[in-house]
Amino acid sequence: MMMKDKLLNWLNLILVADVFLVFLSFGWLAIAVFGHSVGVPLGLDLWYKLWQPLFTPALGVLMGGAILSALVSQISKRLNSN
């Protein structure tokens, strides 16, 4: 029981950090696109270079972790009800 709680706590901590990374990357994208539209370079090219190696896996981890967390929660709930 203790190991499962530790695992869930670590998973939740990783997901929270990942959510912040995803939100920061979206904010950066919005600011960079605005800068590009007014002719001020605010890192849109760098953002595009980081899309594949950094932001795409971050989104995948976020989605996979959310599904895994929900699945573990449902299994735990069913096992505890029996």
Side-chain angles (χ1 to χ4, degrees):
M1 188 88 165
M2 184 69 137
M3 184 68 165
K4 179 188 66 106
D5 291 335
K6 277 188 173 184
L7 179 67
L8 285 177
N9 284 340
W10 276 105
L11 178 63
N12 287 333
L13 182 66
I14 290 169
L15 289 176
V16 166
D18 196 43
V19 163
F20 281 111
L21 175 64
V22 169
F23 283 156
L24 286 173
S25 69
F26 175 72
W28 180 11
L29 175 64
I31 291 168
V33 166
F34 175 74
H36 182 73
S37 69
V38 296
V40 178
L42 294 176
L44 186 59
D45 292 333
L46 178 60
W47 192 94
Y48 279 133
K49 288 179 185 174
L50 292 175
W51 170 250
Q52 197 64 28
L54 181 65
F55 301 135
T56 301
L59 288 169
V61 166
L62 183 62
M63 288 185 249
I67 291 170
L68 181 65
S69 180
L71 188 65
V72 167
S73 176
Q74 286 296 322
I75 290 171
S76 178
K77 198 181 297 183
R78 289 184 186 195
L79 288 176
N80 287 338
S81 68
N82 290 337

